[in-house]
Amino acid sequence: MSTDPAPPRPILCFGEALIDLHASGVDAHGFAASFVPFAGGAPANVAVAVARLGGNARFAGMLSTDRFGDFLLDGLQRAGVGTADVSRTAAPTALALVTLDAAGERSFIFHRERTADLQFRVADFRAGAFDGVAVFHVCSNCLTGPAIADATREGMQRAHGAGALVSMDLNLRPALWPAGADALTQVWPALHLADVVKLSAEEFAWLAPDGEQAALDRLWRGRARLLVVTDGARPMRWFHPDAEGELPGYAVTVVDSTAAGDAFVGGLLCRLAELDATPDRLDHLVSQLPRLHAMLRFAAACGALTVTRQGSFAAMPSGAEVLDFMEKQA
């Protein structure tokens, strides 16, 4: 009889994969001399982060049949991400022009009109896609249109039905929402379907116009049992309905912050999957503070290492690199 441990159950990341076009060089007039394509897109980044860390990662979404779509599919597969849940369409690939300031902080200009990632529908979920899944992960960029929002919420509900943990990183990009749209009315129903929520400090403030406690009270009315709020190199904060705390981050030289949050989420989901953190067990795991702190420190190390490199898929560290980084930092 084999004594080998069972492989970790898959983490299924749903949503957009797109091309990040990074400015390179400056011409005589002060404009970017060229733009270099990098594979990206928040949920796709998380899937790559999980795979690079040694986890069992799959990606579900709609990719274009154009050359950029081929580039994204190849990037996912080369990283070790399962792509059986990918569908293809003739619609074009979404593009994000990424500009980095002197501190490595990024800003985006999006080209995302009727693009491939927005074409995924409920019917595109593969039969059996949620069987055996440990975690189903989404972000708010797939709530910006009615049909893709329906698919996102349906996926979250199907994941619940399959016993999977549901994770949501808000990853708010106001430029992706239609003019005049009230993003809050779309975001809150999805947040209430998530067991684990990750926010940036700016996103937490956006969700909390009436104060943090009011936002927390509203969040706990849904399924959420763990909220993590990151703030760059500043201490991260974590919240549970019955407890809260904070932990320091890692001080590093930032080259490119584009995928920092996605790397953090990938590290956290890897640890949760390894612990078989089902919705029923999440309260117990969060109550064990040394274990919770270890998970969050590992996630923070993933994010810290990622910002020292350029790109998204290309910047994700391996598990060995993260452990070596943590040992040196300790």
Side-chain angles (χ1 to χ4, degrees), residues 97-155:
L97 274 66
V98 182
T99 302
L100 302 175
D101 65 17
E105 289 299 323
R106 75 283 189 271
S107 58
F108 300 98
I109 298 174
F110 292 99
H111 294 267
R112 197 191 184 214
E113 292 288 333
R114 295 180 291 277
T115 50
D117 58 299
L118 295 172
Q119 308 309 311
F120 195 99
R121 302 293 181 260
V122 171
D124 293 313
F125 282 117
R126 182 175 58 87
F130 296 92
D131 294 348
V133 166
V135 183
F136 181 65
H137 175 70
V138 303
C139 74
S140 71
N141 296 337
C142 282
L143 300 173
T144 58
I148 189 64
D150 286 345
T152 303
R153 291 188 294 265
E154 176 67 19

Side-chain angles (χ1 to χ4, degrees), residues 30-103:
F31 298 108
S34 62
F35 285 89
V36 180
F38 287 86
N45 291 341
V46 173
V48 170
V50 169
R52 287 281 289 152
L53 292 169
N56 184 351
R58 290 184 8 223
F59 176 74
M62 187 71 74
L63 297 183
S64 178
T65 53
D66 64 18
R67 289 293 288 165
F68 278 145
D70 293 341
F71 179 67
L72 289 167
L73 184 63
D74 180 71
L76 288 165
Q77 292 173 342
R78 284 179 181 271
V81 176
T83 56
D85 300 287
V86 169
S87 298
R88 306 293 297 271
T89 176
T93 299
L95 306 177
L97 274 66
V98 182
T99 302
L100 302 175
D101 65 17

Side-chain angles (χ1 to χ4, degrees), residues 101-106 233 251-258 304 307-309:
D101 65 17
E105 289 299 323
R106 75 283 189 271
V252 294
T253 300
V254 178
V255 172
D256 180 356
S257 65
T258 303
V307 303
T308 65
R309 307 164 177 180

